[in-house]
């Protein structure tokens, strides 16, 4: 048995065999020539065979998945044997370039051409780059990049997953997600929770495990055991039995003594929203609108945006839907809003700030939201990401009013916003704490970096204090304005209790986590939650805060959370 310790980010105890996500394919050296003795004809024939093999693999995989994943795979399969791509490469080979280098360069020029055409064609530009990497991998005889395909379910080990990887991640095939790097607020963690998969990040050494090794994963404790024994098998069996108890939420978030804490869903589009409604979420606390347009090179039209937003609103008639305006930048670049060459994107022109450099996009988005809201029955609230000052809040509120949107709010993700919450809340109707970014900025620790995972946890007493200050700001302001949490902190059942004790009014999380949070919340009274909040605030470290609170909530161990 070999043990690895990481940071548990999504609960679940499971045993399975691992598959490593292949490393990205490296670029063939510039100027690489055909090897001596290999004719251009033979090199071209080998390239065509590799392209055909990639086409067939993708086509076969497309048969095994449905929805978005199928469409993505089918479009990519067609690109593998695209005539223009292969002809361009063929011309380079005829001039003596190696076939790997030729397909690499051909991919770059076809991608650029598609990009310049704009619209639908521009969206295919990244498919070409994916395909050229797959063809090069095929020519080299190494595994294709991206999520591996397999007949039987497996535990995936990846460096980090991009939001776009979710399209091809089949939750029927992937049992759990592990990363050697990656922080607790990284996208891998967010994706794992949204799919209800057990996950551990920052588990140094797991990237060296051989494919096929059997491991036990405890996604709450953050432990991984290679070649597990009877004890682990027993724990996995027990989890399988209790997991079903955590599957249902009755639609009312409340403490044991009836203090209501609406439990809302974080969604990235219409499909997520429909799934969240089926899981009885009480509304949407964070609609990440940029997730609808991650693949886009150009600004979506007002009509297109309104249609995407209406899908989410229609899943929750009569209920609250909090929509966040485009949060482009850093880990979520949108080419039409962000500058890829910024030296320090997390501190750069991102979120609300893009209105400074690309004016008009925010205004048009607000028009689209207002149009979709007018055509639906949802109670639509709108908030801006990355607000740092009361002036910004006031300006955003004015823009919302001009668009006819009545409930403007802000995300509190920057420490300055928490520290000036009273002034900010004077300008807007509500605030929502984005604890993922609030933690990375309070601790000055990139949320994506594994080595900083210990700093990058919302259990940090400093972060909890910023949450408390935001709540105090809302009370001081006197209108009892809503202060929710929509960062990943809300999905941790123990932390959800602490946040409730700190006075947070709603909790928003991936819909799959709601049942577990509800189950734990209803075992404590509001006064007990307040005591636990005090306990966490008094702890000298994040580790102690978590351990002290967990020790007072034995229900967590009983439920395997
Ligand atoms: C956050 O920062 O906590 C948040 C909810 O926004 P995102 O994770 O999309 O940056
Ligand atoms: Mg954020």
């Amino acid at each position: 048995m070999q043990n690895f310790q990481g940071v548990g980010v999504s609960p679940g105890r499971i045993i399975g065999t691992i598959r490593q996500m292949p490393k990205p394919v490296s670029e063939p050296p510039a100027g690489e020539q055909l090897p001596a003795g290999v004719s251009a004809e033979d090199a071209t024939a080998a390239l065509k065979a590799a392209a055909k093999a990639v086409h067939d693999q993708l086509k076969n995989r497309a048969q095994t998945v449905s929805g978005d994943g199928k469409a993505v795979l089918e479009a990519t399969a067609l690109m593998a044997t695209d005539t223009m791509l292969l002809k361009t490469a063929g011309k380079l080979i005829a001039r003596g370039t190696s076939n790997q280098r030729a397909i690499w360069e051909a991919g770059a020029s076809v991608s650029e051409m598609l990009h310049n055409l704009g619209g639908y064609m521009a969206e295919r530009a990244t498919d070409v780059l994916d395909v050229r990497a797959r063809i090069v991998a095929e020519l080299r005889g190494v595994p294709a990049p991206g999520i591996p395909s397999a007949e039987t379910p497996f535990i995936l080990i990846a460096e980090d997953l991009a939001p776009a990887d979710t399209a091809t991640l089949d939750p029927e095939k992937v049992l759990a997600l592990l990363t050697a790097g990656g922080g607790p607020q990284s996208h891998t963690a967010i994706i794992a929770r949204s799919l209800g998969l057990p996950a551990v990040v920052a588990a140094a050494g797991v990237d060296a495990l051989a494919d096929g090794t059997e491991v036990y994963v405890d996604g709450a404790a953050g432990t991984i055991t290679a070649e597990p024994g009877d004890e682990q098998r027993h724990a996995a069996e027990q989890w399988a039995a209790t997991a079903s108890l955590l599957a249902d939420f009755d639609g009312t978030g409340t403490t044991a003594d009836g203090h209501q804490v609406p439990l809302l869903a974080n969604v990235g589009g219409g499909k997520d929203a429909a799934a969240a409604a089926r899981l009885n979420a009480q509304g949407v606390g964070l609609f990440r609108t940029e997730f609808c347009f991650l693949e886009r090179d150009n600004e979506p039209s007002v009509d297109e945006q309104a249609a995407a937003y209406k899908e989410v609103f229609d899943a929750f008639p009569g209920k609250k839907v909090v929509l966040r305006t485009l949060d482009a930048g850093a880990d979520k670049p949108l080419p039409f809003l962000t500058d890829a060459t910024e030296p320090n994107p997390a501190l750069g022109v991102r979120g609300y700030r893009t209105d400074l450099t690309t004016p008009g996009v925010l205004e048009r988005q607000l028009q689209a939201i207002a149009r979709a809201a007018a055509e639906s029955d949802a109670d639509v609230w709108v908030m801006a990401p990355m607000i740092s000052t009361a002036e910004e809040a006031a300006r955003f509120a004015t823009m919302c009013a001009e668009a006819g949107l009545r409930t403007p709010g802000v995300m509190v993700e920057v420490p300055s916003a928490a520290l000036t919450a009273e002034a900010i809340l004077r300008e807007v109707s509500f605030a929502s704490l984005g604890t993922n970014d609030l933690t990375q900025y309070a601790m000055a620790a990139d949320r994506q970096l594994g080595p900083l995972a210990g700093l990058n946890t919302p259990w940090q007493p400093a972060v909890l204090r910023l949450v408390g200050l935001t709540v105090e700001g809302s009370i001081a302001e006197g209108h009892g304005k809503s202060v929710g949490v929509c960062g990943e902190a809300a999905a941790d059942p123990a932390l959800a209790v602490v946040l409730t004790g700190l006075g947070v009014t709603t909790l928003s999380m991936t819909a799959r986590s709601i049942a577990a949070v509800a189950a734990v919340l209803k075992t404590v009274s509001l006064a007990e939650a307040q005591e636990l909040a005090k306990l966490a605030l008094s702890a000298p470290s994040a580790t102690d805060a978590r351990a002290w609170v967990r020790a007072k909530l034995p229900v967590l161990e009983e439920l395997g959370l």
Side-chain angles (χ1 to χ4, degrees):
M1 270 204 283
Q2 193 186 1
N3 292 312
F4 302 88
Q5 182 65 52
V7 179
V9 292
S10 181
R13 293 171 180 160
I14 208 154
I15 289 182
T17 51
I18 64 119
R19 291 289 303 266
Q20 298 280 353
M21 179 122 154
K23 301 255 174 299
V25 172
S26 61
E27 177 176 347
E32 188 178 73
Q33 297 290 302
L34 283 170
V38 175
S39 69
E41 289 71 31
D42 287 351
T44 308
L47 176 66
K48 283 191 176 153
K52 171 86 171 52
V54 168
H55 169 274
D56 293 351
Q57 287 153 13
L58 291 169
K59 191 95 194 150
N60 289 341
R61 246 177 102 184
Q63 312 296 329
T64 64
V65 296
S66 54
D68 279 357
K70 192 181 187 73
V72 168
L73 288 166
E74 277 175 350
T76 319
L78 281 180
M79 199 54 86
T81 46
D82 180 71
T83 327
M84 190 190 325
L85 181 68
L86 294 177
K87 267 199 181 154
T88 313
K91 279 189 199 152
L92 290 167
I93 297 171
R95 281 189 245 130
T97 305
S98 77
N99 54 10
Q100 290 183 25
R101 183 68 203 175
I103 192 71
W104 196 267
E105 288 182 15
S109 65
V110 171
S111 169
E112 191 184 339
M113 190 205 70
L114 291 173
H115 179 90
N116 292 340
L117 286 175
Y120 172 81
M121 289 313 216
E123 286 167 45
R124 303 273 71 81
T126 46
D127 296 350
V128 184
L129 299 181
D130 178 32
V131 143
R132 76 169 180 184
R134 286 174 182 280
I135 297 174
V136 170
E138 181 69 27
L139 285 166
R140 288 179 187 165
V142 300
I147 293 172
S149 61
E151 294 290 308
T152 48
F154 58 93
I155 292 172
L156 179 63
I157 303 187
E159 239 162 67
D160 192 13
L161 295 178
D165 286 322
T166 22
T168 52
L169 194 156
D170 177 358
E172 304 275 300
K173 284 282 163 63
V174 178
L175 297 169
L177 277 170
L178 309 177
T179 65
Q185 340 275 2
S186 64
H187 277 104
T188 305
I190 294 176
I191 289 167
R193 270 191 290 266
S194 73
L195 295 170
L197 297 174
V200 178
V201 300
V206 290
D207 50 347
L209 285 169
D211 275 357
T213 309
E214 189 177 55
V215 301
Y216 165 75
V217 177
D218 182 332
T223 49
I224 297 144
T225 312
E227 277 136 34
D230 290 346
E231 194 188 324
Q232 286 84 16
R233 283 185 206 286
H234 180 64
E237 278 162 23
Q238 273 202 325
W239 163 263
T242 39
S244 59
L245 297 178
L246 292 174
D248 291 323
F249 170 53
D250 65 11
T252 309
T254 172
T255 58
D257 54 340
H259 171 71
Q260 303 256 324
V261 185
L263 301 179
L264 311 166
N266 290 356
V267 304
K271 266 194 217 133
D272 284 358
R278 283 195 295 277
L279 292 169
N280 286 335
Q282 291 177 262
V284 170
L286 170 63
F287 171 12
R288 289 180 163 105
T289 54
E290 67 282 356
F291 276 28
C292 300
F293 308 113
L294 283 175
E295 310 273 292
R296 294 291 297 256
D297 280 327
N298 49 3
E299 181 189 350
S301 69
V302 170
D303 283 349
E304 198 181 337
Q305 290 188 60
Y309 306 154
K310 188 168 180 304
E311 264 187 58
V312 172
F313 299 162
D314 285 349
F316 285 96
K319 302 256 175 75
K320 168 163 139 181
V321 175
V322 184
L323 178 150
R324 168 173 81 187
T325 55
L326 295 170
D327 183 21
D331 50 338
K332 292 166 294 196
L334 290 181
F336 61 93
L337 275 176
T338 47
D339 169 3
T341 64
E342 265 186 348
N344 204 345
L347 301 183
V349 182
R350 57 166 297 195
Y352 169 78
R353 301 168 180 183
T354 57
D355 190 49
L356 296 172
T357 47
T358 323
V361 176
L362 177 58
E363 210 178 311
R364 286 186 288 277
Q365 184 178 23
L366 294 174
Q367 281 166 21
I369 298 164
R371 188 181 299 173
E375 290 169 7
S376 89
D377 294 326
D379 176 16
V380 176
W381 297 24
V382 187
M383 62 185 179
M386 290 292 292
I387 291 291
S388 315
T389 66
E391 287 104 305
E392 287 175 349
R395 183 163 170 272
F396 181 68
T398 306
M399 290 177 85
C400 286
E402 281 166 6
L405 292 160
R406 280 189 300 272
T407 318
V410 297
M411 288 197 72
V412 173
E413 302 179 281
V414 181
S416 66
L419 294 165
T420 59
E422 185 180 342
I424 286 182
L425 276 159
R426 206 169 292 142
E427 307 296 346
V428 291
S429 309
F430 71 99
S432 184
L433 284 144
T435 45
N436 307 337
D437 278 316
L438 187 59
T439 305
Q440 89 161 338
Y441 295 127
M443 306 310 296
D446 186 330
R447 66 194 258 189
Q448 319 237 62
L449 291 183
L452 302 182
L455 284 175
N456 220 328
T457 154
W459 282 100
Q460 289 288 353
V463 177
L464 298 178
R465 244 162 252 184
L466 290 170
V467 172
L469 282 177
T470 310
V471 172
E472 275 171 33
S474 79
I475 295 168
E477 219 280 306
H479 300 294
K481 290 182 177 174
S482 159
V483 175
V485 170
C486 64
E488 294 300 300
D492 172 339
L495 199 45
V497 169
V498 168
L499 295 169
T500 302
L502 286 170
V504 158
T505 53
T506 60
L507 296 169
S508 188
M509 66 206 82
T510 178
R512 296 253 198 176
S513 297
I514 292 180
V517 167
V520 174
L521 196 59
K522 73 177 175 211
T523 65
V524 292
S525 66
L526 178 58
E528 283 163 348
Q530 287 165 341
E531 281 307 310
L532 290 173
K534 272 197 210 135
L535 186 66
L537 281 173
S538 72
S541 70
T543 313
D544 286 336
R546 182 170 184 269
W548 293 1
V549 170
R550 288 184 68 89
K552 300 263 179 195
L553 290 169
V555 62
L556 295 169
E557 189 50 37
E558 275 162 39
L559 294 174
L561 294 170

